[in-house]
Amino acid sequence: MQFGTPAQKTQKEVRTDSWVYVRQYCAKIDEAARNRMELIVPELAKRNGVTEKQKADTKWNGYGR
């Protein structure tokens, strides 16, 4: 369904643009969460006395890797 002028978008174009926006927004949230985890997980390991040997024994190599 086309509207009167070329500047106006079809409903399909609006839906596509909306999904692009949602995906970009979610990607930003994901990146922020991963950055926080990179800071938090090593600190928690340090506070709880996790050693390099324990990490090697359990194949621990960081969050999400």
Side-chain angles (χ1 to χ4, degrees):
M1 175 180 186
Q2 284 284 26
F3 293 101
T5 66
Q8 294 173 319
K9 295 183 177 185
T10 65
Q11 288 178 350
K12 183 176 181 180
E13 289 172 327
V14 169
R15 282 192 305 263
T16 301
D17 288 349
S18 296
W19 277 111
V20 168
Y21 171 78
V22 168
R23 290 181 62 131
Q24 289 172 342
Y25 183 71
C26 289
K28 288 179 184 178
I29 292 171
D30 184 59
E31 181 181 4
R34 288 178 187 275
N35 290 340
R36 289 286 293 168
M37 290 303 294
E38 287 178 7
L39 296 172
I40 293 168
V41 171
E43 181 61 31
L44 286 173
K46 182 179 173 183
R47 285 184 189 181
N48 290 297
V50 176
T51 65
E52 292 300 319
K53 182 175 179 349
Q54 288 172 322
K55 289 188 233 179
D57 289 348
T58 60
K59 297 182 181 178
W60 186 88
N61 63 353
Y63 178 79
R65 293 183 185 155

